[in-house]
Amino acid sequence: MRRKEVFALNRMPSHRSAKRLTCSAMGAVALCYVLGWSALAQGDTSLRVGVYHNPPKLFAGEQGQLRGVLGELLEAMAQQEQWQLESRLCDFQQCLTLLEQGEIDLLPDVAWSEERAGRFAFHREPVMHSWSQLYQANDNRVEAILDLEQQRVAVVDGSIQQSYLAAVTERFDIRVIWMPVDSFAAGFQAVARGDADLVASNHLFGDWRARDYGLRETPIIFQPSRLFYAASPSLSADVLERIDTKLLTWKDDVDSVYYQTLSAWRSGGATETLVPRWLWWALGLLIVVLALAVGASLLLRRRVSINRAKLSTNEHLLTTILDSVDAYIYIKTPSLEYRYVNRQISELFKRTPKEILGKRDDAFFDPASAAEMAEIDQQVLSSGKKVTVEEHNVLKGEERVRTFLSIKMPLEMSPGEAPCLCGISTELTEYLEMQSRTHHLAFYDALTGLPNRRLLLESLAEATDPDRGPSGYSAVLIVDLDNFRLVNDIQGHESGDQLLINVAQHLKQRLSDDATLARFSSDEFVVQVNGLGERQSDAAANAERLGRQLLDTVSQLRNDRALPISASIGITLFDGEGLGVNSVLQQADMALQQAKAAGGNALRFFNVDMQTSVLERASLEGDLHQALERNELALHYQVQVDHQGATTGVEALLRWYHPQRGWVSPGTFIPLAEENGLIVPIGYWVLQCACEQLAKWSHQPAYAGLTISVNVSSVQFQQPEFVRNLEGLLAQTQAPPGRLVLEVTESLLMREPTRVRNTMLKLRTQGIRFALDDFGTGYSSLSYLKRLPLDELKIDQSFIRELLTDKTDAAIVDTTILLAVSLGLTVVAEGVEKKEQLDWLKGHGCYRYQGYLFGRPTPIEYLFESY
């Protein structure tokens, strides 16, 4: 790890990792040249800027000019980019409304969120970082969220601080007395008067004004965010790109107006809150003593003999004080060589002061650390300003990364001389490691390493929050081991613990990275899965499939005495509307009890109707596995004729007759077969039957010229052995390849088009023909269409059905016929049921048909009897 940021304004230690925000780029907006609306005048861009009162980040000056960090940075950009800024005063919510309506162009100081990204445009590079913090009077002792019990907390009414703190304290059942105020300043005044115990504020305002009110910060930090200039959706994308370019250029230059502005507002505020109070006392004492030493050196010219003893005493006192301070204190020359070090520096480097003085940091730190420290030191000396920085350095001979919180400032040793650098560093390494261990103990299970109940409840609270917006269905699965108590009773708790570890490891391997697996109690695990789909039926199917996989995973485990292991699973679905954390867990637990009551090794849904649907689907899937072996599948054929009424071929259609259910719709079982992979052996059986039928017809002159069209699933078509298997079938049955037509869908052609084209070309060399089925219902590209070896286009029956009454359908069919003719393809109309439809198609150049007008799908033995 290395230095994160020169200014502590943008970095504070935290036990919780900040979520990464990804800003989506808005589409380019066309420039408008209409007179009276154009924002361009004499080469300058005029921007209407919303201004709300939020010092020190943003507020309006006496003349209405932009003030504060983000306001002055925008003014600097406008001056360099020749923009004309027009300020518009408004409160924050009013500013957002005006921005969305396009009545203002830019609004500084807006934190990015997914909801706001849908309403406004954002540039990519954040202007600065911010977070919220609690402040208290000096005699108060609040150190953690739990200390807020019965505390009076001042919060801005309706602010994000209020909503966040209310949610957190309610979750932990902490009773807080809320004191609504109109502004951060009013909240600080309330604490200063004694009307409140604490106040919630963003840290920028707090660092700026806390000392003025006699307050100090607490360790309670929350809601980190990145701040941007939000833009109206109608604003030119060029303005946002120029803002990004300017920010990146400024941030790469430590002497830029960006750092000057940040430093100016920091210096006007409170003392840096990350620094312990005793360090400031030590620093003040150091400066006082150094000032005394400089004064003493001047007096030596006149009273050398008299003051020699006093000077020696002061030097000894200074050394004693600085060596007693638990911090690393040093002074470096303008060339960054050590001029003074205290005892702690000597102990850190394991060298005597004589061995340290006169050397640079590269003698004690690895090259990368020394280079970064030199860069920071040069910035301090060149700017002449104090900085607070978090440094991550590695000593020579060590691999451990040490973390230091350092205060560095220029120090004038003698008038007329270049200033030296004075630094005070406190090591935070052990504190951060302890904080990390404490966090892990608080949120993770000690035995399995999985998230514990506390972390799971936080994750569920976020998933069930109605304010997060629509995100589809999520599911909670409670996995409980059957008869786990017997393992502990018979084999001992050590064996039971090892079993729990194994279960946790194998369950985690079965889950995707975005799923949460937690140990909820002794032998009970909870899985939270988000993004299961927008429709409840799809989400239920996905959750049921995952539950089956988890049951299989547990059943495959064995403990050290080879006892069989099984589990029961309860599942509930939720979409973030109307259900809280407790309700979700209660529903999943009720479903678990139903699974237990069924004898274990089972899963159940909370919703009865959903459970019936899932069981019905699972039963159908189980029967489908046996359909081929039980000879329940059959092929029916539907004739295809030309404009003279002659039969040119047939289409083979798959049918399933279930012993109990009767005829099962292909729209029901074919998608199921594609989903579970059964379509591969079923599709092979269909091709085998078609090839055998073509081989029989080849010896019968009346039928030798007929073709058989077979629908090929995309799952089947993309199998690596598909070409080899089909070539083997043709060789085995001696069927004429030129009479076999494979019907493919548009979705298949668009999926890996290069690979699909190569497969089609290999089969085409055998003489096999191809038809594009259901043309017009998908999304195929004409550029791919002309490159593929197609022979036929089949117009979907949905267009034929309303052909005579719907002008749009008629236009689509007419266009398809013209397209097929231009590409040299035969066009086949499906679903022809009326003679009027047939006459229309003939009149528009379509000469091949298929539908009930000519015959329904029927077994091969009855195919030509009724025709």
Side-chain angles (χ1 to χ4, degrees):
M1 297 177 63
R2 300 298 177 206
R3 160 185 161 243
K4 298 299 182 185
E5 186 68 65
V6 171
F7 291 94
L9 178 65
N10 291 335
R11 177 68 170 88
M12 293 188 69
S14 175
H15 74 278
R16 193 179 301 275
S17 298
K19 293 185 178 177
R20 301 176 182 264
L21 300 177
T22 303
C23 299
S24 59
M26 301 298 290
V29 180
L31 293 176
C32 179
Y33 294 98
V34 180
L35 184 60
W37 184 83
S38 173
L40 299 177
Q42 299 178 353
D44 293 340
T45 299
S46 177
L47 298 177
R48 298 164 298 174
V49 182
V51 183
Y52 65 97
H53 192 71
N54 190 19
K57 295 187 292 180
L58 180 67
F59 61 98
E62 295 180 357
Q63 305 300 323
Q65 72 273 25
L66 294 175
R67 293 298 311 279
V69 178
L70 281 86
E72 293 177 10
L73 288 178
L74 185 58
E75 289 276 13
M77 287 185 197
Q79 183 177 1
Q80 296 182 15
E81 296 291 338
Q82 295 186 346
W83 294 339
Q84 299 297 325
L85 301 183
E86 175 186 342
S87 300
R88 175 114 179 232
L89 300 181
C90 48
D91 61 45
F92 183 64
Q93 292 299 329
Q94 181 187 14
C95 284
L96 291 178
T97 301
L98 294 175
L99 186 66
E100 188 172 14
Q101 295 173 349
E103 297 188 20
I104 58 175
D105 301 309
L106 282 178
L107 179 60
D109 190 20
V110 178
W112 186 96
S113 69
E114 291 185 3
E115 184 271 335
R116 289 175 180 170
R119 299 167 56 194
F120 316 118
F122 286 85
H123 51 92
R124 295 181 297 276
E125 178 68 19
V127 183
M128 60 191 300
H129 298 255
S130 180
W131 60 84
S132 297
Q133 194 163 5
L134 287 178
Y135 294 82
Q136 61 186 344
N138 287 325
D139 56 353
N140 207 11
R141 289 294 181 270
V142 170
E143 303 293 336
I145 286 290
L146 297 178
D147 296 337
L148 297 180
E149 181 73 27
Q150 294 300 326
Q151 294 282 330
R152 299 170 299 169
V153 180
V155 290
V156 176
D157 193 22
S159 65
I160 58 175
Q161 290 90 358
Q162 181 185 36
S163 59
Y164 177 86
L165 288 173
V168 172
T169 54
E170 181 179 354
R171 185 183 312 155
F172 289 101
D173 196 22
I174 301 172
R175 291 177 294 276
V176 178
I177 303 171
W178 302 108
M179 310 285 292
V181 293
D182 295 332
S183 64
F184 292 147
F188 277 74
Q189 292 172 359
V191 178
R193 292 194 307 266
D195 296 337
D197 300 311
L198 300 101
V199 57
S201 158
N202 68 62
H203 84 285
L204 295 171
F205 184 89
D207 291 352
W208 186 47
R209 298 300 307 273
R211 293 295 183 270
D212 296 342
Y213 291 101
L215 307 186
R216 63 184 178 90
E217 71 282 353
T218 73
I220 302 176
I221 301 172
F222 55 96
Q223 288 184 316
S225 61
R226 297 180 180 183
L227 303 181
F228 295 84
Y229 296 107
S232 168
S234 62
L235 183 64
S236 169
D238 179 65
V239 173
L240 297 179
E241 292 175 0
R242 289 159 73 183
I243 290 175
D244 277 325
T245 301
K246 186 60 62 180
L247 287 173
L248 291 172
T249 302
W250 283 349
K251 289 184 179 181
D252 287 339
D253 181 5
V254 296
D255 296 323
S256 68
V257 66
Y258 178 82
Y259 291 107
Q260 293 173 5
T261 303
L262 290 178
S263 178
W265 282 101
R266 291 291 294 164
S267 62
T271 305
E272 175 55 60
T273 59
L274 285 178
V275 183
R277 183 180 300 275
W278 59 266
L279 277 181
W280 288 111
W281 285 105
L283 178 61
L285 182 60
L286 171 63
I287 295 174
V288 170
V289 174
L290 289 176
L292 291 175
V294 172
S297 66
L298 296 175
L299 293 176
L300 280 175
R301 295 180 181 180
R302 289 179 286 176
R303 304 182 62 184
V304 174
S305 58
I306 299 175
N307 292 325
R308 187 181 301 276
K310 292 184 178 180
L311 177 61
S312 176
T313 301
N314 287 338
E315 289 178 346
H316 177 73
L317 175 63
L318 175 63
T319 301
T320 302
I321 293 173
L322 297 181
D323 285 345
S324 301
V325 174
D326 188 15
Y328 304 106
I329 303 175
Y330 51 87
I331 299 175
K332 297 179 183 179
T333 66
S335 58
L336 301 184
E337 297 171 350
Y338 281 100
R339 179 171 175 174
Y340 166 81
V341 294
N342 70 346
R343 179 174 54 83
Q344 281 72 16
I345 292 282
S346 296
E347 293 177 354
L348 178 67
F349 293 163
K350 299 179 180 177
R351 308 279 182 90
T352 65
K354 185 179 295 185
E355 295 173 321
I356 298 174
L357 299 182
K359 296 181 180 179
R360 299 165 62 94
D361 285 319
D362 55 8
F364 312 107
F365 295 92
D366 71 354
S369 300
E372 291 186 2
M373 295 171 70
E375 180 183 355
I376 299 173
D377 294 346
Q378 290 289 1
Q379 291 176 7
V380 174
L381 293 176
S382 61
S383 66
K385 297 179 180 179
K386 179 191 70 175
V387 300
T388 301
V389 59
E390 184 177 301
E391 296 177 305
H392 304 275
N393 301 322
V394 179
L395 291 170
K396 280 189 173 180
E398 293 185 358
E399 297 181 354
R400 178 190 185 192
V401 178
R402 295 173 178 260
T403 303
F404 300 89
L405 180 64
S406 301
I407 302 172
K408 299 186 178 185
M409 67 197 76
L411 179 65
E412 183 177 346
M413 301 295 292
S414 298
E417 292 185 2
C420 296
L421 182 135
C422 178
I424 303 176
S425 299
T426 304
E427 186 166 2
L428 303 176
T429 308
E430 293 183 359
Y431 168 78
L432 294 177
E433 291 175 351
M434 179 186 67
Q435 191 178 56
S436 177
R437 289 192 299 268
T438 302
H439 175 266
H440 194 274
L441 290 174
F443 291 96
Y444 290 87
D445 176 53
L447 177 64
T448 63
L450 296 177
N452 60 14
R453 175 192 292 263
R454 181 178 176 183
L455 187 55
L456 174 69
L457 291 177
E458 289 191 5
S459 178
L460 281 176
E462 182 178 354
T464 56
D465 185 1
D467 295 333
R468 68 170 184 159
S471 58
Y473 279 88
S474 301
V476 165
L477 297 83
I478 299 182
V479 183
D480 186 83
L481 300 183
D482 296 330
N483 302 317
F484 175 75
R485 181 179 298 178
L486 294 178
V487 177
N488 282 335
D489 293 343
I490 297 175
Q491 299 179 352
H493 289 276
E494 182 177 355
S495 178
D497 289 347
Q498 187 58 51
L499 175 60
L500 292 174
I501 294 173
N502 293 339
V503 169
Q505 292 175 346
H506 285 78
L507 291 180
K508 190 173 182 179
Q509 291 172 1
R510 271 296 185 126
L511 296 171
S512 59
D513 293 337
D514 55 353
T516 300
L517 172 65
R519 185 185 178 199
F520 208 60
S521 62
S522 174
D523 61 331
E524 195 170 77
F525 300 87
V526 176
V527 178
Q528 178 191 341
V529 187
N530 300 324
L532 292 178
E534 300 292 333
R535 296 193 309 172
Q536 189 181 66
S537 58
D538 294 339
N542 292 330
E544 187 267 348
R545 188 179 304 107
L546 175 61
R548 297 290 180 192
Q549 293 174 355
L550 297 182
L551 285 179
D552 292 340
T553 298
V554 174
S555 64
Q556 292 170 10
L557 293 174
R558 292 289 185 272
N559 60 11
D560 55 3
R561 297 191 184 181
L563 292 177
I565 303 299
S566 64
S568 299
I569 298 181
I571 306 175
T572 188
L573 300 178
F574 60 96
D575 59 359
E577 296 183 3
L579 282 181
V581 174
N582 291 335
S583 298
V584 169
L585 291 175
Q586 287 173 358
Q587 290 183 0
D589 188 68
M590 292 172 64
L592 174 65
Q593 300 310 315
Q594 294 177 7
K596 287 284 189 183
N601 195 25
L603 64 84
R604 291 292 185 270
F605 278 85
F606 169 76
N607 187 290
V608 177
D609 294 336
M610 189 186 308
Q611 174 68 20
T612 301
S613 175
V614 169
L615 291 177
E616 177 71 11
R617 181 179 176 277
S619 175
L620 188 65
E621 181 177 351
D623 292 342
L624 187 57
H625 277 276
Q626 309 298 324
L628 266 179
E629 297 177 6
R630 296 173 179 172
N631 296 319
E632 296 173 0
L633 297 179
L635 285 185
H636 287 188
Y637 297 85
Q638 188 174 32
V639 296
Q640 297 174 342
V641 302
D642 61 14
H643 62 290
Q644 296 177 344
T647 300
T648 59
V650 297
E651 180 179 0
L653 300 170
L654 183 62
R655 296 293 185 262
W656 179 20
Y657 186 83
H658 191 279
Q660 286 79 38
R661 305 172 189 268
W663 291 107
V664 181
S665 168
T668 299
F669 74 86
I670 289 181
L672 186 61
E674 289 181 329
E675 184 177 313
N676 58 30
L678 284 175
I679 196 65
V680 176
I682 291 176
Y684 181 86
W685 174 82
V686 172
L687 286 171
Q688 183 179 26
C689 293
C691 289
E692 289 174 353
Q693 188 61 48
L694 283 173
K696 292 179 183 179
W697 281 350
S698 66
H699 301 295
Q700 303 175 33
Y703 306 122
L706 298 180
T707 62
I708 295 183
S709 299
V710 177
N711 289 280
V712 180
S713 165
S714 60
V715 176
Q716 179 187 7
F717 192 88
Q718 296 186 80
Q719 294 298 311
E721 63 276 12
F722 178 75
V723 174
R724 183 173 64 253
N725 290 344
L726 185 51
E727 290 175 347
L729 281 177
L730 292 171
Q732 174 187 341
T733 60
Q734 293 298 303
R739 299 300 177 187
L740 178 62
V741 181
L742 299 183
E743 294 189 4
V744 296
T745 61
E746 295 179 67
S747 60
L748 170 63
L749 302 185
M750 292 299 293
R751 186 183 295 112
E752 298 184 65
T754 302
R755 177 182 173 186
V756 170
R757 181 174 183 271
N758 291 336
T759 301
M760 294 176 69
L761 289 174
K762 290 179 183 178
L763 295 174
R764 186 62 177 271
T765 60
Q766 302 291 323
I768 297 173
R769 300 162 63 184
F770 289 90
L772 181 56
D773 194 18
D774 300 337
F775 182 78
T777 62
Y779 44 85
S780 64
S781 169
L782 295 181
S783 62
Y784 289 129
L785 196 60
K786 68 179 183 179
R787 296 175 54 219
L788 296 172
L790 294 171
D791 299 279
E792 298 177 6
L793 286 184
K794 301 190 73 176
I795 304 176
D796 186 72
Q797 60 181 345
S798 62
F799 300 114
I800 304 298
R801 185 179 302 115
E802 304 295 332
L803 176 67
L804 302 175
T805 58
D806 191 319
K807 293 182 179 180
T808 301
D809 286 350
I812 292 174
V813 174
D814 191 31
T815 303
T816 302
I817 295 171
L818 293 175
L819 174 64
V821 172
S822 66
L823 294 175
L825 304 177
T826 300
V827 61
V828 180
E830 294 181 298
V832 180
E833 300 179 359
K834 301 176 182 179
K835 186 176 183 305
E836 292 82 357
Q837 295 171 339
L838 175 62
D839 294 336
W840 190 98
L841 291 168
K842 285 182 180 180
H844 287 76
C846 177
Y847 303 120
R848 293 278 297 278
Y849 324 98
Q850 179 181 338
Y852 287 174
L853 183 62
F854 311 102
R856 293 176 175 270
T858 184
I860 191 65
E861 55 267 27
Y862 306 116
L863 180 62
F864 299 107
E865 290 184 0
S866 59
Y867 181 75

